[in-house]
Amino acid sequence: MEKYLDIFTKSYSDYWNYLKYELIDIYHWDNFFYGLILISVLVWILEIAFPWRKEQALFRNDFWLDTFYMFFNFFLLNLIVLISLTNTVSELFNDVLGLAGLSVSSFQLFDVDELPRWLGLFIFFIVSDFVQWNTHRLLHRFEWLWNFHKVHHSIKEMGFAGHLRYHWIEPIMYKSILYIPIAIIGGFDAQDVAIVHFFSIAVGHLNHANLGWDYGILKYVFNNPKMHIWHHVKELPEGERFGVNFGITLSIWDYLFKTDYIPHDGRDIELGFEDDDIFPKDFIGQSVYPAFSKKRKSKAL
């Protein structure tokens, strides 16, 4: 037990040092802190220059709440618990495998270091996006998970910052489910992760932005604002209990597995979910939902 406690505390201090380094050193290209700010500013400029919903305010509904969510979920949540928890659970998982005479490398199918870098990046991107697409479907499929995912669907006006409005339970789900397939492939370095991560952040910001784009023929490959707004529609189409358009970065999974839905221009559709009028409106209330909520009437989408 002492071993795991040491890993937990060391992970906390290591991440704190990393975060300080990110804030101070702005000259390395894979700086996630300033990278997030740069991507956010650029997408916000696009929203200002080419607004899809022209009547939507520059500082839209919940703009500042979502801006806080961006930095809390992307950095502070890791500092508070996620990095330490991830490292500790990873070590525990390795120890359990060790008792059976196994290791993570025992399940490794191949090492991307042995492949051309572009191919390794492509495999990492495709595998991670497909796993996240399936995880996203689970968040809608089961009511106990849907209750956490409601935080993201409480967005009433789409905007770039809404991309990172989500309950703190969600990254635990995504990271846990993604751990094994990524470990099976193996060999990814930090720069590989950074490249894919920056691209995913940019696409995710654009998906939630006040922009009326679909990328033409590429809409069948990449998720886009005109498609993703239907994921947030309040009234689901008849026969669709669990939602539509689950794509994270890629839309191709929805088209392949028949979960795509774009009946018409969704610029002015109502967003949200059933009974969202009684859902907490503040960060604290949303963070402790549903454990301390008085009313939990909505069903899983």
Side-chain angles (χ1 to χ4, degrees):
M1 182 59 69
E2 184 178 351
K3 169 187 174 181
Y4 302 116
L5 182 60
D6 288 342
I7 292 172
F8 190 90
T9 53
K10 185 176 186 302
S11 298
Y12 182 89
S13 61
D14 287 347
Y15 183 75
W16 171 242
N17 291 330
Y18 159 78
L19 187 56
K20 288 191 295 183
Y21 171 70
E22 291 283 281
L23 292 170
I24 296 170
D25 187 355
I26 66 174
Y27 298 108
H28 60 104
W29 73 268
D30 55 347
N31 185 307
F32 283 105
F33 184 83
Y34 293 105
L36 175 63
I37 292 175
L38 178 61
I39 291 171
S40 299
V41 170
L42 290 176
V43 176
W44 194 25
I45 289 173
L46 289 174
E47 282 189 335
I48 296 169
F50 309 103
W52 192 21
R53 295 170 295 280
K54 299 186 185 301
E55 75 287 351
Q56 185 168 303
L58 181 62
F59 294 96
R60 62 171 177 79
N61 182 38
D62 286 342
F63 177 89
W64 296 113
L65 174 63
D66 289 342
T67 300
F68 175 77
Y69 262 114
M70 276 206 311
F71 291 97
F72 177 82
N73 281 331
F74 214 74
F75 299 104
L76 295 181
L77 185 58
N78 282 330
L79 178 65
I80 294 170
V81 65
L82 280 189
I83 292 295
S84 294
L85 183 62
T86 299
N87 291 342
T88 306
V89 172
S90 176
E91 184 66 19
L92 178 61
F93 180 69
N94 289 334
D95 286 348
V96 170
L97 288 178
L99 293 175
L102 300 171
S103 67
V104 172
S105 61
S106 304
F107 301 97
Q108 191 169 309
L109 297 179
F110 58 89
D111 192 328
V112 295
D113 286 338
E114 299 174 358
L115 302 175
R117 193 178 186 207
W118 69 267
L119 183 56
L121 278 174
F122 179 74
I123 292 173
F124 174 67
F125 171 63
I126 293 297
V127 170
S128 60
D129 195 75
F130 181 64
V131 171
Q132 290 178 87
W133 177 80
N134 277 294
T135 305
H136 192 184
R137 292 186 67 191
L138 291 178
L139 293 174
H140 283 258
R141 187 83 183 183
F142 299 101
E143 186 171 0
W144 68 279
L145 292 175
W146 167 242
N147 277 321
F148 299 124
H149 195 47
K150 283 179 184 175
V151 171
H152 186 65
H153 281 265
S154 65
I155 296 170
K156 300 301 289 182
E157 290 184 333
M158 297 291 273
F160 73 92
H163 174 209
L164 297 178
R165 183 202 290 201
Y166 50 77
H167 196 284
W168 57 271
I169 287 291
E170 286 201 26
I172 294 177
M173 287 293 301
Y174 278 103
K175 289 176 183 293
S176 299
I177 295 174
L178 189 59
Y179 176 79
I180 292 178
I182 294 302
I184 288 174
I185 299 172
F188 302 109
D189 60 36
Q191 288 192 333
D192 293 337
V193 173
I195 293 170
V196 173
H197 214 30
F198 278 135
F199 179 71
S200 298
I201 294 167
V203 175
H205 270 36
L206 289 168
N207 292 340
H208 292 82
N210 181 16
L211 297 168
W213 300 352
D214 63 11
Y215 313 134
I217 192 66
L218 291 178
K219 67 184 178 183
Y220 297 109
V221 178
F222 294 106
N223 200 2
N224 55 81
K226 280 192 170 182
M227 183 176 192
H228 193 67
I229 196 170
W230 283 101
H231 178 70
H232 286 263
V233 67
K234 184 168 186 175
E235 186 175 344
L236 287 172
E238 186 176 353
E240 295 290 351
R241 293 181 53 211
F242 302 112
V244 294
N245 300 352
F246 299 101
I248 305 299
T249 302
L250 299 178
S251 62
I252 192 170
W253 312 123
D254 288 306
Y255 288 107
L256 286 175
F257 296 98
K258 309 302 182 185
T259 53
D260 60 295
Y261 179 75
I262 311 175
H264 58 78
D265 188 319
R267 185 189 66 180
D268 300 315
I269 59 176
E270 184 180 4
L271 311 181
F273 52 87
E274 182 185 356
D275 298 328
D276 59 8
D277 56 315
I278 61 174
F279 190 76
K281 301 296 190 290
D282 61 288
F283 173 75
I284 298 298
Q286 292 177 359
S287 295
V288 299
Y289 187 90
F292 297 100
S293 104
K294 296 180 180 179
K295 299 180 180 180
R296 285 183 283 170
K297 294 171 59 179
S298 297
K299 298 179 290 183
L301 285 180

